[in-house]
Amino acid sequence: IDDEKLDLLLKYNKKKEISLEFGLQTIHNETLKLINRCQTFENFVENYKRIKQSGLRSCIHIINGLPNETENMMLETAQEVANLEPDGLKIHMLHIVQNTRLSELYNEKPFELLTREEYIDIVVKQLELMPQTTVIERLTGDGDKTKLIAPMWTADKIATLGGIDKLMAIKDTYQGKNRKESL
């Protein structure tokens, strides 16, 4: 967003609050390249900080279960997002959808996808890292079920949300419990 666009957004924001959504997905540049995001994490941070400093509301999206990413990598993404202190956060599970480049990759060389239980466990750990001031706007997505190839468990959003609530209660945990302040 150049200065001209930023000025326009700030002008609109005076009339009605706007929120900018940022599809970060992951902090790992090798994954960003694989999924064709056409940006690096460093480029994202540079642009994000500019928007944040302007005072506009921001919401960052991350995706769990991206190809070749480990649980540790997903938690690193959450920690870096927490350090950015966004106003909002949307967490998604990777969906393999028909007629996409990702579905072609998956069909050519299937990669391991998270189970619902793994996803729930990772999301709870990610929530423990987030500042309490960050509004959690989404804990899972729900793609078009008629085009979903995998993982099929994502079609039952209620079970996933219930599982997150249940695990948080079992662990007696909450958003921000393991928050690490950035240096």
Side-chain angles (χ1 to χ4, degrees):
I1 295 178
D2 59 31
D3 288 340
E4 185 179 339
K5 290 180 184 84
L6 182 57
D7 288 343
L8 182 62
L9 290 169
L10 289 167
K11 180 180 170 185
Y12 289 152
N13 195 55
K14 288 178 183 173
K15 296 178 183 176
K16 182 170 175 84
E17 184 182 38
I18 60 174
S19 180
L20 297 179
E21 307 259 335
F22 294 89
L24 170 61
Q25 319 319 358
T26 181
I27 65 163
H28 301 282
N29 288 330
E30 63 274 13
T31 306
L32 290 170
K33 185 175 180 181
L34 177 68
I35 64 172
N36 201 28
R37 287 297 295 155
C38 301
Q39 72 175 5
T40 64
F41 175 60
E42 294 76 18
N43 179 253
F44 171 88
V45 170
E46 179 184 316
N47 287 298
Y48 175 81
K49 285 184 175 179
R50 190 162 175 264
I51 297 299
K52 184 84 171 164
Q53 289 171 351
S54 77
L56 290 171
R57 186 180 188 286
S58 63
C59 178
I60 295 177
H61 295 235
I62 61 174
I63 297 178
N64 290 328
L66 289 165
N68 307 319
E69 289 214 351
T70 63
E71 176 180 332
N72 188 53
M73 292 170 79
M74 291 174 246
L75 294 176
E76 288 171 350
T77 291
Q79 182 59 61
E80 290 296 325
V81 168
N83 292 344
L84 294 171
E85 299 183 346
D87 299 301
L89 173 67
K90 292 184 180 181
I91 303 173
H92 303 266
M93 172 59 197
L94 179 70
H95 291 90
I96 310 294
V97 179
Q98 293 175 5
N99 303 318
T100 62
R101 178 66 186 126
L102 186 60
S103 70
E104 291 171 15
L105 288 173
Y106 186 73
N107 288 329
E108 291 168 10
K109 187 178 177 187
F111 47 88
E112 193 169 328
L113 297 169
L114 297 175
T115 65
R116 181 189 329 245
E117 293 73 23
E118 290 169 328
Y119 180 79
I120 289 169
D121 185 61
I122 290 167
V123 167
V124 168
K125 290 174 183 174
Q126 289 172 322
L127 292 174
E128 290 174 329
L129 297 172
M130 285 301 127
Q132 291 183 348
T133 55
T134 297
V135 176
I136 307 303
E137 297 182 13
R138 181 174 296 142
L139 291 171
T140 187
D142 50 351
D144 183 344
K145 294 175 181 103
T146 64
K147 295 181 180 179
L148 181 64
I149 296 172
M152 295 311 293
W153 62 260
T154 61
D156 188 353
K157 188 175 184 175
I158 299 300
T160 304
L161 294 173
I164 293 167
D165 286 342
K166 182 178 179 182
L167 184 57
M168 290 188 82
I170 288 169
K171 288 179 67 175
D172 190 29
T173 194
Y174 54 89
Q175 180 179 336
K177 183 176 184 178
N178 295 328
R179 173 92 171 100
K180 298 173 190 165
E181 298 297 324
S182 60
L183 301 176

